[in-house]
Amino acid sequence: MKEKVKVCEVGPRDGLQMAHDIMPTELKSRWIAAMAQAGVTEIEVGSFVPAKLVPQMADTDAIVRSALEQPGLRVMALVPNLRGAQAAYAAGAHGVGVPVSVSEGHSRSNTRKGTAEQVEEVARIVEWVRAQERPMAIEPGCATAFGCAIDGEIALDKVVRTAVALAEAGVDAVALADTVGYGNPAQVRALVRAVRSEIGGKLTKLHLHDTMGLGLANALAGLEEGIRSFDSALAGLGGCPFAPGASGNIVTDDLVFMLESMGFDTGIDLDRLIASRELLHEGVPNEPMFGQVSRAGIPKTYRVQA
């Protein structure tokens, strides 16, 4: 059997939060459904943040409830604090991501808290969720782990300390995030090894951006180090409103092509996934759509691996 790799689509959150247009709720729900029906099993559908700060996310409660209707879909949401986690829980989300920036400058810009304060916020979320009747996964990401547009270089040992603090807070999983896309493959290998040596299997995922054109190369480096879960965005949309210069995520369609061509099993129908780009373009017609596979077409040699 092929080894499985999970591709988590973050376009409805990370992609749309930077869009100039606001995608209508009904169309957003149809787009999410189309990706789920193409075989995407995990989607970060929105974020529970103040609408005045990120108006594109104002309908996240309705989007979570709609996405829950898709059979087999793990519905995730991003939350910055306990209040957001409580809103996600009330809407029925299966899990939440929580940004914990290793960079002090980015942390205060993004959450108005320092790194240690945000770790404490995660601990409060864990305590509250564990007291509820229904489980909800808590999967924070170490943001700006590979560099920051505000603070510059981030020391490896600070990333490790942040990941350890999150693991000790009782979270279900930890991700490493290249929030501004400054990382390189050697850095990915070194950081994955260092963090895993301290928290083991709680390190599960990489969240990568393609600012410097190294997104897929970094994904491959992570793959070679044993990472089997990656965030990506259809058509490469995305960025961070609180990180100057951050560009889009790695392209979901291109990532799926690479993984499946190498013999991994994503469970995603690439033809149907690419077709879902039409709904995305309809919803945000002024956003550039990236992706090599969608431009060139799926080659006849695709999926030749046993």
Side-chain angles (χ1 to χ4, degrees):
M1 292 179 64
K2 290 183 179 180
E3 188 175 0
K4 293 186 178 296
V5 175
K6 179 183 287 187
V7 175
C8 175
E9 173 61 42
V10 299
R13 194 277 302 174
D14 202 349
L16 296 185
Q17 73 178 5
M18 293 292 288
H20 296 89
D21 300 308
I22 296 179
M23 194 174 193
T25 301
E26 185 274 335
L27 182 56
K28 192 188 298 187
S29 292
R30 285 201 287 129
W31 174 43
I32 290 169
M35 291 190 290
Q37 290 159 19
V40 179
T41 58
E42 182 173 316
I43 301 178
E44 191 176 72
V45 301
S47 59
F48 286 92
V49 295
K52 65 180 180 180
L53 296 179
V54 190
Q56 296 89 341
M57 298 292 105
D59 60 356
T60 295
D61 184 272
I63 290 297
V64 167
R65 296 175 190 277
S66 171
L68 289 169
E69 298 175 4
Q70 296 302 314
L73 178 63
R74 189 170 188 247
V75 179
M76 301 291 293
L78 190 79
V79 303
N81 50 35
L82 176 57
R83 175 184 284 186
Q86 290 169 334
Y89 188 90
H94 297 128
V96 292
V98 189
V100 181
S101 183
V102 184
S103 156
E104 288 292 327
H106 181 262
S107 185
R108 294 195 180 281
S109 175
N110 192 34
T111 65
R112 299 181 182 177
K113 295 183 178 71
T115 303
E117 292 174 287
Q118 187 65 359
V119 171
E120 292 173 0
E121 189 71 15
V122 171
R124 283 191 284 272
I125 293 171
V126 170
E127 182 180 16
W128 184 85
V129 170
R130 300 296 185 243
Q132 308 310 304
E133 292 184 4
R134 177 178 64 83
M136 183 173 73
I138 304 157
E139 302 178 0
C142 293
T144 64
F146 299 88
C148 177
I150 299 171
D151 290 353
E153 187 175 351
I154 302 298
L156 183 147
D157 65 335
K158 188 176 183 187
V159 181
V160 173
R161 289 198 307 271
T162 303
V164 168
L166 290 170
E168 291 176 346
V171 302
D172 295 286
V174 175
L176 295 177
D178 190 8
T179 310
V180 292
Y182 289 177
N184 62 68
Q187 198 178 6
V188 169
R189 291 190 182 96
L191 199 50
V192 167
R193 290 174 187 175
V195 172
R196 181 180 287 134
S197 71
E198 295 296 326
I199 69 170
K202 282 210 170 183
L203 172 60
T204 60
K205 180 188 286 187
L206 290 178
H207 175 100
L208 303 169
H209 285 243
D210 200 36
T211 308
M212 298 300 167
L214 292 176
L216 282 185
N218 290 338
L220 179 58
L223 196 69
E224 291 171 344
E225 291 298 324
I227 297 295
R228 292 296 181 266
S229 182
F230 298 89
D231 286 345
S232 59
L234 197 73
L237 268 63
C240 176
F242 307 104
S247 66
N249 294 264
I250 53 175
V251 179
T252 302
D253 3 348
D254 291 353
L255 176 64
V256 169
F257 174 78
M258 182 184 81
L259 292 169
E260 291 281 351
S261 295
M262 292 175 65
F264 292 98
D265 178 16
T266 66
I268 296 172
D269 184 314
L270 189 54
D271 284 294
R272 295 184 71 178
L273 180 69
I274 291 173
S276 73
R277 290 168 62 110
E278 296 178 9
L279 291 170
L280 174 59
H281 181 63
E282 182 182 344
V284 285
N286 296 310
E287 298 302 313
M289 302 282 158
F290 302 102
Q292 296 301 116
V293 177
S294 63
R295 181 181 302 142
I298 300 174
K300 292 182 180 179
T301 55
Y302 179 62
R303 226 172 260 178
V304 297
Q305 299 289 334

